[in-house]
Amino acid sequence: MWPGLPEADVAARARDWSTRLGYVAAGLGVTSIPALAAAAVPAGVVTVQVAQPVPRPRRLTLAWAHEPGPAVAAVREALTRTAELLAEPWTADR
């Protein structure tokens, strides 16, 4: 849910964008989308830009099958650096 809104009665959930936007186009729901997806909304769907969006927390797990080599270490380090950057206070210019 969006911060500041009351708890909603959720009747259905969809993971993929086409289903989410299909519900919206049919008048059966609302969804949030990234700004890059705004140009792809179906006809009749209205988008509203949020003035100060708040990023949602995400969890990412890195898994590998054998002893981690240099590639795994590099990916883990890059993900850690990115997560630290994303954990910094969010501002509209970032």
Side-chain angles (χ1 to χ4, degrees):
M1 284 305 299
W2 198 259
L5 290 181
E7 210 46 47
D9 292 327
V10 178
R13 294 180 188 269
R15 295 183 68 88
D16 62 278
W17 293 111
S18 60
T19 302
R20 289 179 182 188
L21 292 173
Y23 277 128
V24 173
L28 299 174
V30 296
T31 190
S32 59
I33 60 172
L36 291 174
V41 298
V45 172
V46 177
T47 61
V48 178
Q49 184 174 1
V50 177
Q52 294 182 331
V54 177
R56 294 174 53 189
R58 302 282 186 200
R59 181 177 180 166
L60 178 66
T61 303
L62 180 62
W64 53 90
H66 303 287
E67 186 66 31
V72 171
V75 169
R76 182 173 44 202
E77 184 178 329
L79 290 172
T80 300
R81 278 196 318 265
T82 302
E84 289 168 350
L85 174 65
L86 292 173
E88 293 176 5
W90 192 85
T91 60
D93 62 336
R94 192 175 85 166

